[in-house]
Amino acid sequence: MSEKLLVIGESRDGILRNVSFEAIAAAKKINPNGEIVGVVCGNEDLENQAQELIYYGANRVITVKHEKLAYYTSEGFGQAISAVIEAENPDAIIMGHTAVGKDLTPKLASKLEVGLISDAVAIDLDGDQVVFTRPIYSGKAFEKKVIKDGLLFATIRPNNITALERDESRSGTVEEQAVEIADLRTVIKDVIRKAADGVDLSEAKVVVAGGRGVKSAEGFQPLYELAEVLGGAVGASRGACDANYCDYSLQIGQTGKVVTPDLYIAVGISGAIQHLAGMSNSKVIVAINKDPEANIFNVADYGIVGDLFEIIPKLTEEIKKLKAE
Ligand SMILES: Cc1cc2nc3c(=O)[nH]c(=O)nc-3n(C[C@H](O)[C@H](O)[C@H](O)COP(=O)(O)OP(=O)(O)OC[C@H]3O[C@@H](n4cnc5c(N)ncnc54)[C@H](O)[C@@H]3O)c2cc1C
């Protein structure tokens, strides 16, 4: 039984990403009575982030503040987290399966000479055995994996394991750990984001995705308006990205981002297998397409057959009215 579970928190612009809280819930599933130790690294004031981890269920949080950790690098964060792992000697480590998680955790696992279960979407107990469920073959099947011996190390897919309710009455301790960080071979001077505004696509609860049917970059505007009233993010098919209607950072699918929002609205997307690989595990799928035979309707919970240019503005209007009531 894992007694001490380390949760690696991840922040952006000084704000913890939701998957950090989901990782705490994942640790609780592994052992509801274990000690959950959060860790956050950076060069900003980490006290608030540490408190947030505690409100979401961490018993103790370690902060590592260093000027070389101002931006994520696998070298810098690798050294910092390795030092925490060495000091804490946890029985389990959990992190989000994000771009940072995907980069950092295999390197840590290799250094620790342990296995890693990546991209888990569910965690269950079978007696004392912890069973991780993860999608394979681009989401067409699921496999169940266990680690029979030694450290449990896993990443979890965002939006699949529900975080505990934030509770300010939860208390815990925050400790700062001083870590020596050797000179980094890569130094990031500045980060210029392509999409600075709005909700992060990988973690959005609502995604409005447009395809080649949207027909132009201007055609995406009504999708942005719908996403805004729903508090969601805009995504796209590769067809739309290839046609230059939007940036490749919005691409969802086998060679793009994998998303699992509560609501996925596919607009003018035919539903190619490579697109389904990135969104078919969304909780509710709504498809809007003028072709009643489009494959996207085979995975949709709700389908609207019609012209997206008529339907989307009406939908946005109706949702605005509902919100105003
Ligand atoms: C190796 C490989 C990797 C790939 N990776 C990805 C990936 O990661 N993501 C991805 O998306 N694709 C990927 N693809 C491409 C994929 O095969 C499809 O070509 C692509 O998804 C098609 O995009 P689409 O659905 O937007 O376009 P289309 O297939 O052209 O579909 C457009 C749809 O819009 C509908 N439409 C048109 N006008 C309207 C209207 N006015 N109102 C309503 N509906 C309308 C049409 O009926 C049609 O169904 C990959 C392909 C390969 C070979």
Side-chain angles (χ1 to χ4, degrees), residues 59-145:
N59 303 103
R60 185 157 66 86
V61 178
I62 296 159
T63 60
V64 185
K65 186 172 185 299
H66 198 290
E67 60 183 9
K68 289 180 185 155
L69 301 175
Y71 294 111
Y72 172 78
T73 58
S74 47
E75 249 187 304
F77 274 57
Q79 289 181 49
I81 305 279
S82 293
V84 173
I85 293 171
E86 202 179 310
E88 292 293 326
N89 195 21
D91 306 299
I93 306 175
I94 307 287
M95 187 176 185
H97 194 70
T98 58
V100 168
K102 283 183 231 178
D103 184 67
L104 182 63
T105 52
K107 290 176 180 123
L108 288 173
S110 151
K111 193 160 180 248
L112 293 164
E113 296 185 355
V114 297
L116 170 68
I117 294 179
S118 62
D119 203 17
V121 293
I123 298 174
D124 300 286
L125 290 182
D126 180 8
D128 270 357
Q129 194 91 267
V130 184
V131 183
F132 295 87
T133 304
R134 62 186 298 275
I136 50 171
Y137 304 125
S138 300
K140 286 196 277 298
F142 291 88
E143 66 173 358
K144 293 194 182 291
K145 283 199 144 183

Coordinates of all heavy atoms in Angstrom, one line a residue, residues 59-145:
N59 N -1.8 17.0 1.9 CA -1.6 17.1 3.4 C -0.4 18.0 3.6 O -0.3 18.6 4.7 CB -1.3 15.7 4.0 CG -2.4 14.8 3.7 OD1 -2.3 13.9 2.9 ND2 -3.5 14.9 4.4
R60 N 0.5 18.0 2.7 CA 1.8 18.8 2.9 C 2.2 19.2 1.5 O 2.0 18.5 0.5 CB 2.8 17.8 3.5 CG 4.1 18.4 3.9 CD 4.7 17.6 5.0 NE 5.1 16.2 4.6 CZ 6.2 15.9 4.0 NH1 7.2 16.8 3.7 NH2 6.5 14.6 3.6
V61 N 2.9 20.4 1.4 CA 3.4 20.8 0.1 C 4.8 21.3 0.2 O 5.1 22.0 1.1 CB 2.5 21.9 -0.5 CG1 3.0 22.4 -1.9 CG2 1.0 21.4 -0.7
I62 N 5.6 20.9 -0.8 CA 7.0 21.3 -0.8 C 7.1 22.3 -2.0 O 6.7 22.0 -3.1 CB 7.9 20.1 -1.0 CG1 7.8 19.2 0.2 CG2 9.4 20.5 -1.3 CD1 8.3 17.8 -0.1
T63 N 7.7 23.5 -1.7 CA 7.9 24.4 -2.8 C 9.4 24.5 -3.1 O 10.2 24.4 -2.2 CB 7.4 25.8 -2.3 OG1 8.2 26.2 -1.2 CG2 5.9 25.9 -2.0
V64 N 9.7 24.6 -4.3 CA 11.1 24.7 -4.7 C 11.2 26.0 -5.6 O 10.7 26.0 -6.7 CB 11.6 23.5 -5.6 CG1 13.1 23.7 -5.9 CG2 11.4 22.2 -4.8
K65 N 11.8 27.0 -5.0 CA 11.9 28.3 -5.7 C 13.3 28.6 -6.1 O 14.2 28.4 -5.3 CB 11.4 29.4 -4.7 CG 11.3 30.8 -5.3 CD 10.6 31.7 -4.3 CE 10.3 33.0 -4.8 NZ 11.1 34.0 -5.3
H66 N 13.5 28.9 -7.4 CA 14.8 29.1 -7.9 C 14.8 29.9 -9.2 O 13.8 29.7 -10.0 CB 15.5 27.7 -8.2 CG 17.0 27.8 -8.3 ND1 17.6 28.4 -9.3 CD2 17.9 27.3 -7.5 CE1 18.9 28.3 -9.1 NE2 19.2 27.6 -8.0
E67 N 15.7 30.8 -9.4 CA 15.7 31.6 -10.6 C 15.8 30.8 -11.9 O 15.2 31.2 -12.9 CB 16.7 32.7 -10.6 CG 18.1 32.2 -10.5 CD 19.2 33.3 -10.4 OE1 18.8 34.4 -10.2 OE2 20.4 32.9 -10.5
K68 N 16.4 29.6 -11.8 CA 16.5 28.8 -13.0 C 15.3 28.0 -13.3 O 15.2 27.2 -14.2 CB 17.7 27.8 -12.8 CG 19.1 28.5 -12.9 CD 20.2 27.5 -12.7 CE 21.5 28.3 -12.7 NZ 22.6 27.5 -11.9
L69 N 14.2 28.2 -12.4 CA 13.0 27.5 -12.6 C 11.9 28.5 -13.1 O 10.7 28.1 -13.0 CB 12.5 26.8 -11.3 CG 13.5 25.7 -10.8 CD1 13.0 25.2 -9.4 CD2 13.7 24.6 -11.7
A70 N 12.3 29.6 -13.5 CA 11.3 30.6 -14.0 C 10.5 30.1 -15.1 O 9.3 30.4 -15.2 CB 12.0 31.9 -14.4
Y71 N 11.1 29.3 -16.0 CA 10.4 28.7 -17.1 C 10.6 27.2 -17.0 O 11.7 26.8 -16.5 CB 10.9 29.2 -18.5 CG 10.6 30.6 -18.7 CD1 11.6 31.5 -18.8 CD2 9.3 31.1 -18.9 CE1 11.3 32.9 -19.0 CE2 9.0 32.4 -19.2 CZ 10.0 33.3 -19.2 OH 9.8 34.6 -19.5
Y72 N 9.7 26.4 -17.5 CA 9.9 25.0 -17.5 C 11.0 24.5 -18.5 O 11.0 24.9 -19.7 CB 8.6 24.2 -17.9 CG 8.9 22.7 -18.1 CD1 9.0 21.9 -17.0 CD2 9.1 22.2 -19.4 CE1 9.4 20.6 -17.1 CE2 9.4 20.8 -19.5 CZ 9.5 20.0 -18.4 OH 9.9 18.7 -18.5
T73 N 12.0 23.8 -18.0 CA 12.9 23.1 -18.8 C 13.0 21.7 -18.2 O 12.9 21.5 -16.9 CB 14.3 23.7 -18.9 OG1 14.8 23.7 -17.5 CG2 14.4 25.0 -19.5
S74 N 13.2 20.6 -19.0 CA 13.2 19.3 -18.4 C 14.4 19.2 -17.5 O 14.4 18.5 -16.4 CB 13.2 18.2 -19.4 OG 14.1 18.5 -20.5
E75 N 15.5 19.9 -17.9 CA 16.8 19.8 -17.1 C 16.5 20.4 -15.7 O 16.9 19.8 -14.7 CB 17.8 20.7 -17.8 CG 19.0 19.9 -18.4 CD 20.0 21.0 -18.9 OE1 19.6 21.8 -19.7 OE2 21.1 20.9 -18.5
G76 N 16.0 21.7 -15.7 CA 15.8 22.4 -14.4 C 14.8 21.7 -13.5 O 15.1 21.4 -12.4
F77 N 13.6 21.5 -14.1 CA 12.6 20.9 -13.3 C 13.0 19.4 -12.9 O 12.6 18.9 -11.8 CB 11.2 20.9 -14.0 CG 10.5 22.2 -13.8 CD1 11.1 23.4 -14.1 CD2 9.2 22.2 -13.3 CE1 10.4 24.6 -13.9 CE2 8.5 23.4 -13.0 CZ 9.1 24.6 -13.4
G78 N 13.7 18.8 -13.8 CA 14.1 17.4 -13.5 C 15.0 17.4 -12.3 O 14.9 16.5 -11.4
Q79 N 15.9 18.3 -12.2 CA 16.8 18.4 -11.1 C 16.1 18.7 -9.8 O 16.3 18.1 -8.7 CB 17.9 19.5 -11.3 CG 18.9 19.1 -12.3 CD 20.0 20.2 -12.5 OE1 20.5 20.7 -11.5 NE2 20.2 20.6 -13.7
A80 N 15.1 19.7 -9.9 CA 14.4 20.1 -8.7 C 13.5 18.9 -8.2 O 13.5 18.6 -7.0 CB 13.5 21.3 -9.0
I81 N 12.7 18.3 -9.1 CA 11.8 17.2 -8.7 C 12.6 16.0 -8.2 O 12.2 15.4 -7.2 CB 10.8 16.8 -9.8 CG1 10.1 18.0 -10.3 CG2 9.9 15.7 -9.4 CD1 8.9 18.5 -9.6
S82 N 13.7 15.7 -8.9 CA 14.6 14.6 -8.4 C 15.0 14.8 -7.0 O 15.0 13.8 -6.2 CB 15.8 14.4 -9.3 OG 15.4 14.1 -10.6
A83 N 15.4 16.0 -6.7 CA 15.9 16.3 -5.3 C 14.8 16.1 -4.3 O 15.0 15.5 -3.2 CB 16.4 17.7 -5.2
V84 N 13.5 16.5 -4.7 CA 12.4 16.3 -3.8 C 12.1 14.8 -3.6 O 11.9 14.3 -2.5 CB 11.1 17.0 -4.3 CG1 9.9 16.7 -3.5 CG2 11.4 18.5 -4.3
I85 N 12.2 14.0 -4.8 CA 11.9 12.6 -4.7 C 12.9 11.9 -3.8 O 12.6 11.1 -2.9 CB 11.9 12.0 -6.1 CG1 10.7 12.5 -6.9 CG2 11.9 10.4 -6.0 CD1 10.8 12.1 -8.4
E86 N 14.2 12.4 -3.9 CA 15.3 11.8 -3.1 C 15.0 12.0 -1.6 O 15.1 11.1 -0.8 CB 16.6 12.3 -3.5 CG 17.8 11.4 -3.2 CD 19.1 12.0 -3.6 OE1 19.2 12.4 -4.8 OE2 20.0 12.1 -2.8
A87 N 14.6 13.3 -1.3 CA 14.4 13.6 0.1 C 13.1 12.9 0.7 O 13.1 12.6 1.8 CB 14.3 15.2 0.2
E88 N 12.1 12.8 -0.2 CA 10.8 12.3 0.3 C 10.7 10.8 0.2 O 9.9 10.2 1.0 CB 9.7 12.9 -0.4 CG 9.5 14.4 -0.2 CD 9.1 14.7 1.3 OE1 8.3 13.9 1.9 OE2 9.5 15.7 1.9
N89 N 11.3 10.2 -0.7 CA 11.2 8.7 -1.0 C 9.8 8.3 -1.0 O 9.4 7.4 -0.2 CB 12.0 8.0 0.1 CG 12.3 6.6 -0.3 OD1 12.2 6.2 -1.5 ND2 12.5 5.7 0.7
P90 N 9.0 8.8 -2.0 CA 7.5 8.4 -2.0 C 7.3 7.0 -2.5 O 8.2 6.4 -3.1 CB 7.0 9.5 -3.0 CG 8.1 9.8 -3.9 CD 9.4 9.7 -3.1
D91 N 6.1 6.5 -2.2 CA 5.7 5.2 -2.7 C 5.0 5.3 -4.0 O 4.8 4.3 -4.8 CB 4.7 4.5 -1.7 CG 5.3 4.5 -0.3 OD1 6.4 3.8 -0.2 OD2 4.7 5.0 0.6
A92 N 4.5 6.5 -4.3 CA 3.7 6.7 -5.6 C 4.0 8.2 -6.1 O 4.2 9.1 -5.2 CB 2.3 6.5 -5.4
I93 N 4.0 8.4 -7.4 CA 4.2 9.7 -7.9 C 3.1 9.9 -9.0 O 3.0 9.0 -9.9 CB 5.6 10.0 -8.6 CG1 6.7 9.6 -7.6 CG2 5.7 11.4 -9.1 CD1 8.1 9.7 -8.2
I94 N 2.4 11.0 -9.0 CA 1.3 11.2 -10.0 C 1.5 12.6 -10.5 O 1.8 13.6 -9.8 CB -0.1 11.2 -9.3 CG1 -0.3 9.9 -8.5 CG2 -1.2 11.4 -10.4 CD1 -0.5 8.7 -9.4
M95 N 1.3 12.7 -11.8 CA 1.4 14.0 -12.5 C 0.4 14.0 -13.6 O 0.0 13.0 -14.1 CB 2.8 14.3 -13.0 CG 3.0 15.7 -13.6 SD 4.7 16.1 -14.1 CE 4.4 17.8 -14.5
G96 N 0.0 15.2 -14.1 CA -0.9 15.3 -15.3 C -0.2 14.9 -16.6 O 1.0 15.1 -16.7
H97 N -1.0 14.3 -17.5 CA -0.4 13.9 -18.8 C -0.6 15.1 -19.7 O -1.3 15.1 -20.7 CB -1.2 12.7 -19.3 CG -0.5 12.0 -20.4 ND1 0.7 11.3 -20.3 CD2 -0.8 12.0 -21.7 CE1 1.0 10.8 -21.5 NE2 0.1 11.2 -22.4
T98 N 0.2 16.2 -19.4 CA 0.2 17.4 -20.2 C 1.5 17.4 -21.0 O 2.3 16.5 -20.9 CB 0.2 18.6 -19.2 OG1 1.3 18.5 -18.4 CG2 -1.1 18.6 -18.3
A99 N 1.7 18.5 -21.7 CA 2.9 18.6 -22.5 C 4.1 18.5 -21.5 O 5.1 17.8 -21.8 CB 2.9 19.9 -23.3
V100 N 4.0 19.2 -20.4 CA 5.1 19.2 -19.4 C 5.2 17.8 -18.8 O 6.3 17.2 -18.7 CB 4.9 20.3 -18.4 CG1 5.9 20.1 -17.2 CG2 5.1 21.7 -19.0
G101 N 4.1 17.2 -18.4 CA 4.1 15.9 -17.8 C 4.7 14.8 -18.8 O 5.4 14.0 -18.3
K102 N 4.3 14.9 -20.0 CA 4.8 14.0 -21.0 C 6.3 14.1 -21.2 O 7.0 13.1 -21.6 CB 4.1 14.2 -22.4 CG 2.7 13.7 -22.5 CD 2.2 13.9 -23.9 CE 0.9 14.6 -23.8 NZ 0.3 14.9 -25.1
D103 N 6.8 15.3 -21.0 CA 8.3 15.5 -21.2 C 9.1 15.1 -20.0 O 10.1 14.5 -20.1 CB 8.5 17.0 -21.5 CG 9.9 17.4 -21.8 OD1 10.4 16.9 -22.9 OD2 10.6 18.0 -21.0
L104 N 8.5 15.5 -18.8 CA 9.3 15.3 -17.6 C 9.3 13.9 -17.1 O 10.3 13.3 -16.6 CB 8.7 16.3 -16.5 CG 9.4 16.3 -15.2 CD1 10.8 16.8 -15.3 CD2 8.6 17.2 -14.2
T105 N 8.1 13.2 -17.0 CA 8.0 12.0 -16.3 C 8.8 10.8 -16.9 O 9.4 10.1 -16.1 CB 6.5 11.6 -16.1 OG1 5.8 11.6 -17.4 CG2 5.8 12.5 -15.2
P106 N 8.9 10.7 -18.2 CA 9.7 9.6 -18.7 C 11.2 9.7 -18.3 O 11.9 8.7 -17.9 CB 9.6 9.6 -20.2 CG 8.4 10.4 -20.5 CD 8.2 11.4 -19.3
K107 N 11.6 11.0 -18.2 CA 13.0 11.2 -17.8 C 13.2 10.9 -16.4 O 14.2 10.3 -16.0 CB 13.4 12.7 -18.1 CG 13.5 13.0 -19.6 CD 13.8 14.4 -19.9 CE 13.8 14.6 -21.4 NZ 12.9 15.5 -22.0
L108 N 12.2 11.3 -15.5 CA 12.4 10.9 -14.1 C 12.3 9.4 -13.9 O 13.1 8.9 -13.1 CB 11.2 11.6 -13.3 CG 11.2 13.1 -13.2 CD1 9.9 13.6 -12.5 CD2 12.4 13.6 -12.3
A109 N 11.4 8.8 -14.6 CA 11.2 7.3 -14.5 C 12.5 6.6 -14.9 O 13.0 5.7 -14.2 CB 10.1 6.8 -15.3
S110 N 13.1 7.1 -15.9 CA 14.4 6.5 -16.4 C 15.5 6.7 -15.4 O 16.2 5.7 -15.0 CB 14.7 7.1 -17.8 OG 16.1 7.1 -18.0
K111 N 15.5 7.9 -14.8 CA 16.6 8.1 -13.8 C 16.3 7.3 -12.5 O 17.3 6.8 -11.9 CB 16.5 9.6 -13.4 CG 17.6 10.1 -12.6 CD 17.8 11.6 -12.7 CE 19.0 12.0 -11.8 NZ 18.6 12.8 -10.7
L112 N 15.1 7.1 -12.2 CA 14.7 6.3 -11.0 C 14.8 4.8 -11.3 O 14.6 4.0 -10.4 CB 13.3 6.6 -10.5 CG 13.1 8.0 -9.9 CD1 11.6 8.4 -9.9 CD2 13.8 8.2 -8.6
E113 N 14.9 4.4 -12.6 CA 14.9 3.0 -13.1 C 13.6 2.3 -12.6 O 13.6 1.2 -12.1 CB 16.2 2.3 -12.6 CG 17.4 2.9 -13.2 CD 18.7 2.1 -12.8 OE1 18.6 1.2 -12.0 OE2 19.7 2.5 -13.3
V114 N 12.5 3.0 -12.9 CA 11.2 2.4 -12.6 C 10.3 2.5 -13.8 O 10.6 3.3 -14.8 CB 10.5 3.1 -11.4 CG1 11.3 2.9 -10.1 CG2 10.2 4.6 -11.7
G115 N 9.2 1.8 -13.8 CA 8.3 1.9 -14.9 C 7.4 3.1 -14.8 O 7.3 3.7 -13.7
L116 N 6.7 3.5 -15.9 CA 5.8 4.6 -15.8 C 4.5 4.2 -16.6 O 4.6 3.7 -17.7 CB 6.4 5.8 -16.5 CG 5.5 7.0 -16.8 CD1 5.1 7.7 -15.5 CD2 6.3 8.0 -17.7
I117 N 3.3 4.4 -15.9 CA 2.1 4.2 -16.6 C 1.6 5.6 -17.1 O 1.3 6.4 -16.2 CB 1.1 3.5 -15.7 CG1 1.6 2.1 -15.5 CG2 -0.3 3.5 -16.4 CD1 0.7 1.3 -14.6
S118 N 1.5 5.8 -18.4 CA 1.2 7.2 -18.8 C -0.3 7.2 -19.3 O -0.8 6.2 -19.8 CB 2.1 7.6 -19.9 OG 2.0 6.7 -21.0
D119 N -0.8 8.4 -19.1 CA -2.1 8.7 -19.7 C -3.3 7.9 -19.1 O -4.2 7.5 -19.9 CB -2.0 8.5 -21.3 CG -3.1 9.3 -22.0 OD1 -3.7 10.3 -21.4 OD2 -3.4 9.0 -23.2
A120 N -3.2 7.7 -17.8 CA -4.3 6.9 -17.2 C -5.6 7.8 -17.2 O -5.6 9.0 -17.0 CB -3.9 6.5 -15.8
V121 N -6.7 7.1 -17.5 CA -8.0 7.8 -17.5 C -8.9 7.3 -16.3 O -9.9 7.9 -16.0 CB -8.8 7.6 -18.8 CG1 -8.1 8.3 -19.9 CG2 -9.0 6.1 -19.1
A122 N -8.5 6.3 -15.6 CA -9.2 5.8 -14.4 C -8.2 5.0 -13.6 O -7.3 4.4 -14.0 CB -10.4 4.9 -14.8
I123 N -8.5 5.1 -12.3 CA -7.7 4.3 -11.3 C -8.7 3.6 -10.4 O -9.6 4.2 -9.8 CB -6.8 5.3 -10.5 CG1 -5.8 6.0 -11.4 CG2 -6.1 4.5 -9.4 CD1 -5.0 7.1 -10.7
D124 N -8.5 2.3 -10.2 CA -9.4 1.5 -9.3 C -8.6 0.6 -8.5 O -7.4 0.3 -8.8 CB -10.3 0.6 -10.2 CG -11.2 1.5 -11.1 OD1 -12.1 2.1 -10.6 OD2 -10.9 1.5 -12.3
L125 N -9.2 0.2 -7.4 CA -8.5 -0.7 -6.5 C -9.1 -2.1 -6.7 O -10.3 -2.3 -6.7 CB -8.6 -0.3 -5.0 CG -7.9 0.9 -4.6 CD1 -8.1 1.2 -3.1 CD2 -6.4 0.8 -4.9
D126 N -8.2 -3.1 -6.8 CA -8.6 -4.5 -6.8 C -7.9 -5.2 -5.7 O -6.8 -5.6 -5.8 CB -8.3 -5.1 -8.2 CG -8.7 -6.6 -8.3 OD1 -9.4 -7.1 -7.4 OD2 -8.3 -7.2 -9.3
G127 N -8.6 -5.2 -4.5 CA -7.9 -5.6 -3.3 C -6.8 -4.6 -3.0 O -7.1 -3.4 -3.0
D128 N -5.6 -5.0 -2.9 CA -4.5 -4.1 -2.6 C -3.9 -3.6 -3.9 O -3.0 -2.7 -3.9 CB -3.4 -4.8 -1.8 CG -3.7 -4.7 -0.3 OD1 -4.6 -4.0 0.0 OD2 -2.9 -5.3 0.5
Q129 N -4.3 -4.2 -5.0 CA -3.7 -3.9 -6.3 C -4.3 -2.6 -6.9 O -5.5 -2.5 -6.9 CB -4.0 -5.1 -7.2 CG -3.2 -5.1 -8.5 CD -1.9 -5.8 -8.3 OE1 -0.9 -5.3 -8.0 NE2 -1.9 -7.1 -8.5
V130 N -3.4 -1.7 -7.4 CA -3.9 -0.5 -8.0 C -4.0 -0.7 -9.5 O -3.0 -1.1 -10.1 CB -3.0 0.7 -7.7 CG1 -3.6 2.0 -8.3 CG2 -2.8 0.9 -6.2
V131 N -5.2 -0.6 -10.1 CA -5.4 -0.8 -11.5 C -5.6 0.5 -12.3 O -6.5 1.2 -12.0 CB -6.6 -1.8 -11.7 CG1 -6.7 -2.1 -13.2 CG2 -6.5 -3.0 -10.9
F132 N -4.7 0.7 -13.2 CA -4.7 1.9 -14.0 C -5.4 1.6 -15.4 O -5.0 0.6 -16.0 CB -3.3 2.5 -14.3 CG -2.6 3.0 -13.1 CD1 -1.9 2.1 -12.3 CD2 -2.7 4.3 -12.7 CE1 -1.2 2.5 -11.1 CE2 -2.0 4.7 -11.5 CZ -1.3 3.9 -10.8
T133 N -6.3 2.3 -15.8 CA -6.9 2.1 -17.2 C -6.4 3.2 -18.1 O -6.4 4.4 -17.7 CB -8.5 2.3 -17.1 OG1 -8.9 1.3 -16.1 CG2 -9.1 2.0 -18.4
R134 N -5.9 2.8 -19.3 CA -5.4 3.8 -20.2 C -5.8 3.4 -21.6 O -5.9 2.2 -22.0 CB -3.9 3.9 -20.1 CG -3.1 2.6 -20.4 CD -1.6 2.8 -20.2 NE -1.0 3.8 -21.0 CZ -0.6 3.6 -22.2 NH1 -0.7 2.4 -22.8 NH2 -0.1 4.6 -22.9
P135 N -6.1 4.4 -22.5 CA -6.5 4.2 -23.8 C -5.3 3.7 -24.7 O -4.2 4.2 -24.5 CB -7.0 5.5 -24.3 CG -6.6 6.5 -23.3 CD -6.0 5.9 -22.2
I136 N -5.6 2.8 -25.6 CA -4.6 2.4 -26.6 C -5.2 2.4 -28.0 O -6.4 2.6 -28.1 CB -4.1 1.0 -26.3 CG1 -5.2 0.0 -26.1 CG2 -3.1 1.0 -25.1 CD1 -4.7 -1.5 -26.0
Y137 N -4.4 2.3 -29.0 CA -4.9 2.3 -30.4 C -5.7 3.5 -30.6 O -6.9 3.4 -31.1 CB -5.6 1.0 -30.8 CG -4.8 -0.2 -30.6 CD1 -5.3 -1.3 -29.8 CD2 -3.5 -0.4 -31.1 CE1 -4.6 -2.4 -29.6 CE2 -2.8 -1.5 -30.9 CZ -3.3 -2.5 -30.1 OH -2.5 -3.6 -29.9
S138 N -5.2 4.7 -30.3 CA -5.9 6.0 -30.5 C -7.2 6.0 -29.9 O -8.2 6.6 -30.5 CB -6.0 6.3 -32.0 OG -4.7 6.4 -32.6
G139 N -7.4 5.4 -28.7 CA -8.7 5.5 -28.0 C -9.7 4.4 -28.4 O -10.8 4.5 -27.9
K140 N -9.3 3.5 -29.3 CA -10.3 2.5 -29.8 C -10.4 1.4 -28.7 O -11.4 0.6 -28.8 CB -9.9 2.0 -31.1 CG -10.1 3.0 -32.3 CD -10.1 2.3 -33.6 CE -8.7 2.2 -34.1 NZ -8.0 3.4 -34.3
A141 N -9.5 1.3 -27.9 CA -9.6 0.2 -26.8 C -8.9 0.7 -25.6 O -8.2 1.7 -25.6 CB -8.8 -1.1 -27.3
F142 N -9.2 0.0 -24.5 CA -8.5 0.4 -23.2 C -7.8 -0.8 -22.6 O -8.2 -1.9 -22.8 CB -9.6 0.8 -22.2 CG -10.3 2.1 -22.6 CD1 -11.4 2.1 -23.4 CD2 -9.8 3.3 -22.1 CE1 -12.0 3.3 -23.8 CE2 -10.4 4.5 -22.5 CZ -11.5 4.5 -23.3
E143 N -6.7 -0.5 -22.0 CA -5.9 -1.6 -21.3 C -5.9 -1.3 -19.8 O -5.9 -0.1 -19.4 CB -4.5 -1.8 -21.9 CG -3.6 -0.7 -21.7 CD -2.2 -1.0 -22.1 OE1 -1.9 -2.1 -22.6 OE2 -1.3 -0.1 -22.0
K144 N -5.8 -2.3 -19.1 CA -5.7 -2.2 -17.6 C -4.3 -2.6 -17.2 O -3.8 -3.6 -17.7 CB -6.7 -3.0 -16.9 CG -8.1 -2.5 -17.1 CD -9.1 -3.1 -16.2 CE -10.5 -2.6 -16.4 NZ -10.7 -1.2 -16.1
K145 N -3.6 -1.8 -16.4 CA -2.2 -2.0 -16.1 C -2.0 -2.0 -14.6 O -2.6 -1.1 -13.9 CB -1.3 -1.0 -16.7 CG -1.0 -1.3 -18.2 CD 0.2 -0.6 -18.7 CE 0.9 -1.4 -19.7 NZ 2.2 -0.8 -20.2

